[in-house]
Amino acid sequence: MKLFNWINIRLVLMFSLVIFLFSFASNRNLGRKLTKSTVVFVGDNAPFVDQETVNKLLIENKKDAQSIGKDKLDLNKLEKALNAQEMIEKSDVFVSIDGVLKAVVKQKTPIARIFDGDDSFYIDYEGNRMPLSSNFTARVPLVSGEINKKNSEDLAELFRIIYDDDFLKKNIIGVQIMPNGSLKMGNRNFNYQIDFGGTVRMKAKFNNYKAFFQKAVLDSSLYKYKTIDLRFAQQVVCTK
């Protein structure tokens, strides 16, 4: 019985020591200051928002990260501040073992640039408004005409189809939204206009256009046309 009690006492003492050491190490670690902060951008996008802007949000506008103690950090608050930035889609903020405050940032992806009177802005991949950047200009279709609640979702899907297709991304440089809702498109290398019609059967229309283009470009007939009409099912109508 005495042996059993002694073993229990030893276990309790060892367990208490472990808790003490863990608590001591944790408190000591929290009392330390950060060594520095760093920002990592992920994805293929050029930096629409610069490192300095993100870093200021990250260290809460202090001069440098070394003035911040670990115990003063609220990582959730920092992530919310970064995610509220108009150029940022998502961020992940954490502190490494060596005391570096890190932010892994994914920027929004612009897929079209809208001209609305004197105002100009991007539409991002999710279909949301995204401001222009002073750091970089995205090479995306230029869009004129009215975008409203009725057509915004269909147009966002149209822009995504163009962005995700290597050929369309290079070929389609402009989209004009007509008052009746139909679309006119401009291409990069030829003078013809694409009469796309409405936002119905969008993928089928683009497939028809790509098949026509691949055939017509071989005999140089694309230089002869003024209009490529995609409004009709299963056919492409050309006007000289």
Side-chain angles (χ1 to χ4, degrees):
M1 181 63 70
K2 289 182 178 181
L3 179 60
F4 180 75
N5 288 338
W6 175 240
I7 292 174
N8 286 343
I9 292 172
R10 287 181 63 186
L11 290 174
V12 171
L13 290 174
M14 290 176 64
F15 185 67
S16 299
L17 179 62
V18 170
I19 293 177
F20 170 77
L21 292 175
F22 178 78
S23 178
F24 176 77
S26 297
N27 289 331
R28 186 178 180 184
N29 185 54
L30 287 174
R32 293 177 177 174
K33 294 187 181 297
L34 300 173
T35 57
K36 63 178 181 178
S37 62
T38 184
V39 180
V40 178
F41 291 101
V42 297
D44 298 329
N45 288 347
F48 294 100
V49 55
D50 57 31
Q51 295 232 4
E52 183 180 356
T53 299
V54 178
N55 200 51
K56 283 183 178 179
L57 292 171
L58 196 60
I59 61 177
E60 298 180 307
N61 293 316
K62 292 181 173 62
K63 290 184 178 180
D64 56 66
Q66 295 178 353
S67 65
I68 305 174
K70 289 185 179 180
D71 58 332
K72 303 298 183 182
L73 281 178
D74 186 338
L75 298 180
N76 288 330
K77 180 182 176 181
L78 291 177
E79 284 188 359
K80 288 180 180 179
L82 291 183
N83 293 338
Q85 215 282 341
E86 292 181 301
M87 300 288 188
I88 295 175
E89 180 178 326
K90 185 179 180 182
S91 66
D92 183 22
V93 181
F94 59 94
V95 178
S96 64
I97 297 175
D98 54 352
V100 178
L101 178 62
K102 292 186 177 182
V104 179
V105 174
K106 181 181 180 183
Q107 299 178 107
K108 293 180 179 179
T109 302
I111 57 176
R113 180 172 176 175
I114 312 301
F115 286 91
D116 183 13
D118 296 330
D119 193 15
S120 183
F121 56 91
Y122 292 122
I123 295 294
D124 72 8
Y125 197 83
E126 302 301 321
N128 300 316
R129 180 171 173 148
M130 174 183 173
L132 303 183
S133 170
S134 58
N135 298 320
F136 185 79
T137 301
R139 194 174 182 179
V140 294
L142 305 180
V143 182
S144 61
E146 183 182 4
I147 296 181
N148 49 47
K149 292 182 179 180
K150 185 178 180 180
N151 65 12
S152 60
E153 290 187 9
D154 288 337
L155 288 172
E157 177 62 22
L158 177 88
F159 301 147
R160 279 191 288 268
I161 293 173
I162 294 173
Y163 182 85
D164 289 335
D165 187 283
D166 289 338
F167 168 77
L168 297 175
K169 191 175 183 179
K170 295 177 182 177
N171 187 268
I172 304 299
I173 60 171
V175 178
Q176 183 180 6
I177 307 168
M178 307 304 291
N180 64 357
S182 65
L183 305 174
K184 308 284 186 181
M185 299 183 185
N187 73 97
R188 187 171 302 281
N189 297 314
F190 301 94
N191 293 326
Y192 61 77
Q193 184 181 64
I194 301 170
D195 191 348
F196 194 81
T199 53
V200 293
R201 301 182 295 103
M202 291 185 288
K203 289 185 178 180
K205 290 179 181 180
F206 278 129
N207 286 336
N208 289 344
Y209 174 62
K210 289 194 292 183
F212 161 78
F213 186 95
Q214 290 172 0
K215 182 178 180 180
V217 75
L218 296 176
D219 58 14
S220 301
S221 61
L222 288 172
Y223 291 101
K224 304 175 183 178
Y225 300 126
K226 292 183 178 180
T227 303
I228 307 297
D229 196 334
L230 303 177
R231 293 176 297 166
F232 307 101
Q234 303 300 322
Q235 60 179 323
V236 177
V237 179
C238 303
T239 303
K240 294 183 179 181

